[in-house]
Amino acid sequence: MKISYNWLKQFIKIDWDAEKTGELLTDLGLEIEGIERYESVKGGLEGIVVGEVLTCVQHPNADRLKVTTVNIGTDTPLQIVCGAPNVAAGQKVPVATIGTTLYTAEGEAWKIKKGKIRGEESHGMICAEDELGLGESHDGIMVLDEKIKVGSPASLVFKIENDDVFEIGLTPNRADAMSHYGVARDLKAGLLQQEIALELITPSVSSYHVDARSLKIDVDVKNIEKAPRYCGVTISGVKVEASPSWLQNRLKAIGLSPINNIVDATNYVLHELGQPLHAFDAHKISGNKIEVKTCKSGTKFTTLDGVIRELHEDDLMICDAEKPMCIAGVFGGIDSGVTESTSNIFLESAYFDPVSIRKTAKRHALNTDASFRFERGIDPNITEYALKRAALLITDIAGGEIASDIFDAYQNKIKDFEVRLSFENAKKLIGEEIPKETIKSILSSLEIKVNNVTEAGLGLTVPAYRNDVQREADIIEEILRVYGYNNIATTEKLNASISNSSRFEDYKLQNIIGNQLASQGFYEILANSLTSPKYVELSEDLNEDHNVKMLNPLSNDLEVMRQSLLFSGLEAVSHNINRKREDLKLFEFGKTYHQYSDTREEHKHLSVFVTGNKSEERWNSITTPSDFFYLKGTIETVLQRLGLNRLKSAPTKNDVLSEGMNLSLGKKQLVDFGLVKKPILKHFGISQNVLFADFNWDNVLDMAQHNKIKFTEISKYPEVRRDFALLLDNNVSFEDIYTIAKQTEKQLLKNVNLFDVYEGKNLPAGKKSYAVSFTLQDENKTLTDKQIDKIMSKLQTNFENKLGAELR
């Protein structure tokens, strides 16, 4: 939010420099993120002075040039070559002296230098209005009033506006500070704590009166829940034209483009007082009637930006007798706004329900200055005052007369908040005792009324516009921010207690596995738990009815809480691939959220994504693509690190995977992993393969805690390795070989490993070759060749009988 310092000074007459004021505002909780310099004319006309043309003669070497001498108030007149057709002796003119920087219409800077033009020296430039940024004319030089004193700075003659503009990082709870008046109110309270008492000046509306009741427009508020207060008045005989320069400068300083005097006046009051207003062309209001209501779902409505929108049944609309004219509190319609031909207007000032406005704005993806304020809750008691202020401003700059009484529908008055403050609780939360009189002074400066005072605390009434201050803790926070966080002393002694915690705490195991994956080249990601409801359509395992929906979604793409970590992870994969980072290894610890008929559930997960090559290109190593077995190895190292072995594998039933496996321990499903289906990848614009693993982290935690680890002494007797090259059918898996081997020799067989797979030439059709190693060891003695040969013979026989294997 931008705040003009010059504008702020209209409310509070402070003479501090902008930096010092910015520091105080930051201490008050209105963090100043930056201070920009604003100049109504770029460069501020620095170096431009008023000169008088003493002589003007024809250039000896050019028909279209004149050689002039110009007095700029210095001892010696300047010789300036000028090509303007209207230059003449005796004129008062703006002169850019040597070293002055001027700017083109595109903002490019160029400097005035001493030079020769067709052989004649020129020591400056007599300027046209477009060269100074004061207009668009380039027909000739500017001729100034002859009464202006020679040597006067042009910045004073043309009343250039120089301003400091604060960029405030406004937090969503500070709806009261969404205007210059609101910021000035906080600034006054902060200055009072520094024993600087300044008056808060508010614009006067005492001169407001009805000129003639000649233009009446009936108003019917049909939905008082969504429009608790609605005010309006008509103004006739206005002349729509450009706003005066002072008003344009105010708006330009805070980044707004002036439109016309009517619209600019409403924008001015919006940023001055924080009350959004809207002006309708009265001639376009059918039936001279306004209805504040909702419309039938599916109604077409064209907004000011020319977009045809389909209304929702909950969208509050401002309608006339025939049609909708404006999305209340959000955006106007294309056919009801003020144009150059407008002569009569209906001026609206209202308080709309914040939740209703927020839903409508997000539903239509509209974010305006008005909706920004209505969503957060404006002051319901300033509605009529702001209307009078705007009406007076419009009649002042656009002419016309107030042509009706003010209509004010306010059936259910929004009440102030009653809060009780305990001095003891304030001391506990602040950590220091603030004098009671100081507390009362701070609260009074914030317009919080002290109703009663006791030894124990205060009875308070908080104004309705402070909708973020409804609890005792909120009151204490207000006291503290005005008193000053920096004024609270820190204690010299810190007390801390150490609690006993299990080594199986979730965060500890997450750190262990996170560090392990990071050491393997993985990067941790943290995705938003809010996601698009359309993602459930990509998986039959997910159900739209199980979506946990947001009451006030930030956007259509963030309407529900995720049921799977896959899609948010694929968003990250797609984002990186689109930026030429195609070799990715990512992981995320997160939760999924599910809505069932009688309850809601959260489930913890660990997701792993692998795509592209295993490692970066290097001159001394071959780059190989990541594959299923690389992911499988990563998963096994994760589970082994937690002491989870003897896993049972089975084909995955997860429908987002085209092929994959499921690992379980006992009756607990631990992880599904495999290759993500092509149609899902295509939805995210991904053309390369992506491997995905989904750990059920709740089950992993449970099994890790109940897993018993056995420690055995390292054997002093040697291991023996024997290898088989087996010719097998293509449908035989290594899991089959492993299972048969373990069943054949349960004691001496320590490990079975697949170290080579061959499929290709010189093999019969439908066959493949597995190279498998077997590690044998007796922990009590050295194995003999006879024992080893007997075991290997049994293994060979069982492979032949059960798998149809042949030794190669």
Side-chain angles (χ1 to χ4, degrees):
M1 183 183 73
K2 294 183 182 294
I3 293 292
S4 158
Y5 198 21
N6 288 347
W7 200 343
L8 194 64
K9 289 176 181 178
Q10 292 182 202
F11 291 97
I12 187 165
K13 301 298 183 183
I14 184 173
D15 58 0
W16 286 4
D17 61 56
E19 291 287 343
K20 188 175 180 181
T21 302
E23 290 175 4
L24 178 55
L25 289 173
T26 298
D27 289 342
L28 289 167
L30 303 178
E31 183 179 359
I32 303 300
E33 296 179 340
I35 302 176
E36 298 176 357
R37 188 68 178 167
Y38 169 76
E39 297 168 329
S40 57
V41 174
K42 191 170 180 62
L45 298 184
E46 186 175 348
I48 312 294
V49 297
V50 175
E52 182 179 6
V53 181
L54 301 178
T55 64
C56 178
V57 297
Q58 183 66 42
H59 193 292
N61 303 316
D63 293 339
R64 296 185 179 183
L65 298 178
K66 303 285 179 59
V67 179
T68 67
T69 56
V70 183
N71 175 21
I72 62 169
T74 57
D75 295 337
T76 305
L78 302 178
Q79 177 172 300
I80 298 176
V81 176
C82 180
N86 64 328
V87 63
Q91 293 174 336
K92 295 285 181 69
V93 292
V95 178
T97 56
I98 299 297
T100 299
T101 300
L102 297 179
Y103 298 87
T104 65
E106 293 75 26
E108 294 181 8
W110 57 287
K111 187 173 287 189
I112 301 296
K113 299 178 181 178
K114 176 184 175 181
K116 279 189 177 183
I117 302 176
R118 295 289 186 93
E120 296 294 326
E121 289 189 357
S122 185
H123 299 266
M125 186 174 80
I126 304 175
C127 302
E129 67 176 36
D130 67 328
E131 293 166 334
L132 298 178
L134 296 172
E136 298 179 357
S137 174
H138 195 70
D139 295 335
I141 60 169
M142 291 186 73
V143 180
L144 306 178
D145 191 328
E146 60 182 17
K147 296 179 182 179
I148 301 174
K149 183 180 177 181
V150 170
S152 300
S155 58
L156 299 179
V157 174
F158 295 103
K159 297 180 180 178
I160 300 303
E161 174 112 3
N162 295 309
D163 198 0
D164 291 298
V165 180
F166 300 112
E167 181 68 44
I168 297 181
L170 195 67
T171 52
N173 64 306
R174 292 304 308 277
D176 63 295
M178 294 186 297
S179 65
H180 286 76
Y181 174 60
V183 173
R185 189 166 45 202
D186 252 22
L187 184 58
K188 175 180 179 291
L191 290 169
L192 195 60
Q193 285 308 299
Q194 300 193 21
E195 299 183 351
I196 301 174
L198 294 179
E199 180 185 0
L200 188 62
I201 304 168
T202 55
S204 173
V205 294
S206 59
S207 62
Y208 179 88
H209 65 279
V210 179
D211 296 301
R213 294 174 176 83
S214 56
L215 180 58
K216 182 182 179 183
I217 293 180
D218 296 324
V219 180
D220 183 9
V221 181
K222 294 182 177 295
N223 195 321
I224 60 173
E225 290 78 20
K226 295 181 184 293
R229 188 174 190 183
Y230 190 88
C231 297
V233 71
T234 60
I235 304 175
S236 63
V238 299
K239 183 179 181 182
V240 180
E241 57 186 6
S243 298
S245 58
W246 70 264
L247 177 52
Q248 292 194 35
N249 286 335
R250 285 283 180 266
L251 298 180
K252 288 177 181 177
I254 59 174
L256 297 182
S257 298
I259 299 172
N260 59 55
N261 49 6
I262 305 299
V263 176
D264 292 349
T266 60
N267 283 334
Y268 182 86
V269 175
L270 164 67
H271 290 275
E272 178 185 55
L273 302 176
Q275 170 66 55
L277 302 109
H278 191 75
F280 298 91
D281 188 328
H283 289 303
K284 299 176 182 178
I285 301 176
S286 300
N288 277 354
K289 184 177 182 180
I290 283 198
E291 295 182 348
V292 184
K293 62 181 183 179
T294 56
C295 294
K296 185 178 179 181
S297 181
T299 301
K300 304 293 185 182
F301 179 69
T302 305
T303 46
L304 274 172
D305 54 1
V307 176
I308 300 174
R309 303 182 187 275
E310 192 171 292
L311 300 180
H312 188 272
E313 59 185 6
D314 291 331
D315 292 336
L316 185 66
M317 303 296 296
I318 310 300
C319 308
D320 60 19
E322 299 177 356
K323 62 186 181 302
M325 300 188 298
C326 175
I327 303 177
V330 180
F331 212 26
I334 197 168
D335 297 324
S336 62
V338 173
T339 64
E340 291 181 358
S341 61
T342 299
S343 58
N344 299 331
I345 64 171
F346 175 80
L347 188 61
E348 164 196 281
S349 178
Y351 175 88
F352 297 120
D353 176 61
V355 174
S356 171
I357 297 300
R358 179 175 177 80
K359 287 183 177 180
T360 296
K362 299 306 177 186
R363 194 178 291 128
H364 296 290
L366 291 170
N367 183 25
T368 62
D369 285 336
S371 67
F372 178 83
R373 285 157 177 80
F374 278 127
E375 288 173 15
R376 287 155 178 78
I378 61 172
D379 185 357
N381 297 318
I382 205 175
T383 311
E384 183 183 9
Y385 167 70
L387 183 66
K388 290 180 178 180
R389 165 65 172 154
L392 288 173
L393 182 58
I394 288 172
T395 56
D396 181 46
I397 64 176
E401 59 183 16
I402 297 171
S404 72
D405 292 314
I406 289 178
F407 173 85
D408 187 1
Y410 196 15
Q411 294 185 28
N412 301 319
K413 186 174 181 181
I414 297 173
K415 297 180 180 180
D416 295 336
F417 311 109
E418 302 293 331
V419 183
R420 181 73 186 175
L421 172 66
S422 164
F423 291 132
E424 184 62 28
N425 289 341
K427 179 181 177 181
K428 287 180 181 178
L429 283 180
I430 293 173
E432 183 176 304
E433 186 171 5
I434 297 177
K436 296 177 182 178
E437 289 302 317
T438 301
I439 289 177
K440 289 193 289 183
S441 173
I442 290 173
L443 294 175
S444 297
S445 68
L446 293 171
E447 299 183 3
I448 297 175
K449 184 179 178 182
V450 179
N451 295 323
N452 56 75
V453 183
T454 66
E455 285 298 319
L458 303 173
L460 306 169
T461 299
V462 181
Y465 67 81
R466 290 307 308 268
N467 51 38
D468 62 320
V469 183
Q470 300 184 27
R471 306 168 302 163
E472 183 183 47
D474 300 328
I475 293 289
I476 295 171
E477 183 181 5
E478 289 297 292
I479 294 168
L480 185 53
R481 73 177 181 86
V482 176
Y483 182 76
Y485 291 96
N486 295 334
N487 294 327
I488 303 299
T490 55
T491 58
E492 296 181 358
K493 181 182 179 182
L494 294 176
N495 296 322
S497 59
I498 299 174
S499 60
N500 183 33
S501 62
S502 169
R503 63 190 181 95
F504 295 106
E505 290 284 348
D506 185 9
Y507 76 92
K508 291 183 178 179
L509 295 186
Q510 283 193 31
N511 286 340
I512 289 171
I513 299 305
N515 289 334
Q516 176 173 315
L517 289 171
S519 68
Q520 292 177 283
F522 283 78
Y523 289 90
E524 184 171 9
I525 61 174
L526 184 62
N528 197 337
S529 295
L530 299 176
T531 190
S532 170
K534 296 181 181 179
Y535 285 156
V536 298
E537 300 171 5
L538 301 176
S539 170
E540 294 180 2
D541 290 344
L542 302 179
N543 192 323
E544 184 179 356
D545 295 334
H546 296 164
N547 277 333
V548 179
K549 299 179 181 179
M550 296 293 100
L551 292 176
N552 298 310
L554 296 172
S555 69
N556 293 334
D557 291 333
L558 300 173
E559 284 188 0
V560 300
M561 303 193 77
R562 60 183 176 180
Q563 292 189 52
S564 170
L565 270 63
L566 171 64
F567 307 116
S568 53
L570 289 178
E571 287 176 349
V573 170
S574 175
H575 181 86
N576 280 273
I577 290 175
N578 290 338
R579 285 152 183 80
K580 304 301 182 183
R581 294 185 61 87
E582 299 173 348
D583 304 330
L584 301 170
K585 293 187 284 187
L586 310 173
F587 72 95
E588 178 187 7
F589 288 98
K591 292 182 179 180
T592 58
Y593 307 85
H594 310 269
Q595 172 75 62
Y596 298 116
S597 57
D598 56 346
T599 185
R600 290 175 179 168
E601 294 183 7
E602 294 182 9
H603 299 154
K604 296 176 183 176
H605 291 261
L606 164 62
S607 63
V608 177
F609 297 86
V610 177
T611 185
N613 295 319
K614 295 179 184 178
S615 59
E616 296 179 358
E617 286 184 320
R618 288 186 175 85
W619 67 272
N620 60 350
S621 62
I622 299 174
T623 300
T624 55
S626 302
D627 56 19
F628 176 85
F629 297 101
Y630 175 74
L631 178 63
K632 182 173 182 286
T634 301
I635 292 167
E636 289 176 344
T637 60
V638 168
L639 297 175
Q640 288 171 5
R641 180 65 181 84
L642 298 174
L644 303 178
N645 301 302
R646 300 179 182 177
L647 302 170
K648 181 180 179 181
S649 64
T652 183
K653 296 180 180 179
N654 195 324
D655 78 330
V656 300
L657 302 175
S658 59
E659 54 186 82
M661 291 178 62
N662 171 274
L663 298 181
S664 59
L665 187 59
K667 296 182 179 180
K668 297 283 187 179
Q669 302 291 321
L670 298 185
V671 58
D672 276 304
F673 63 96
L675 192 65
V676 180
K677 287 182 176 178
K678 294 290 186 183
I680 296 177
L681 297 179
K682 185 178 179 181
H683 182 85
F684 292 89
I686 300 172
S687 57
Q688 62 192 56
N689 288 337
V690 177
L691 296 154
F692 169 64
D694 182 18
F695 288 81
N696 186 323
W697 193 248
D698 289 312
N699 288 348
V700 171
L701 289 175
D702 183 56
M703 297 308 296
Q705 293 183 56
H706 294 92
N707 184 54
K708 294 181 179 180
I709 300 174
K710 294 181 179 179
F711 295 91
T712 57
E713 184 179 351
I714 297 175
S715 176
K716 60 184 178 181
Y717 297 101
E719 295 178 345
V720 176
R721 168 174 163 163
R722 293 289 186 269
D723 298 341
F724 275 164
L726 300 172
L727 186 64
L728 302 160
D729 292 337
N730 279 337
N731 61 352
V732 176
S733 68
F734 172 69
E735 182 72 19
D736 298 329
I737 296 172
Y738 183 89
T739 302
I740 292 171
K742 283 293 187 180
Q743 290 173 348
T744 302
E745 178 55 56
K746 297 179 180 180
Q747 293 183 353
L748 300 181
L749 183 60
K750 301 300 181 182
N751 188 38
V752 182
N753 181 49
L754 175 66
F755 63 89
D756 188 38
V757 177
Y758 176 72
E759 295 176 310
K761 295 181 180 179
N762 303 322
L763 291 182
K767 295 289 186 177
K768 61 184 176 183
S769 175
Y770 272 7
V772 186
S773 67
F774 303 89
T775 303
L776 304 171
Q777 183 184 42
D778 190 331
E779 297 178 358
N780 300 312
K781 61 182 180 181
T782 301
L783 289 171
T784 64
D785 289 339
K786 186 177 181 180
Q787 287 176 295
I788 296 169
D789 292 341
K790 184 178 180 181
I791 294 171
M792 296 306 296
S793 178
K794 283 184 181 179
L795 289 172
Q796 178 181 347
T797 300
N798 285 340
F799 291 151
E800 291 172 348
N801 294 338
K802 295 181 180 181
L803 300 177
E806 299 178 28
L807 283 183
R808 293 186 68 200

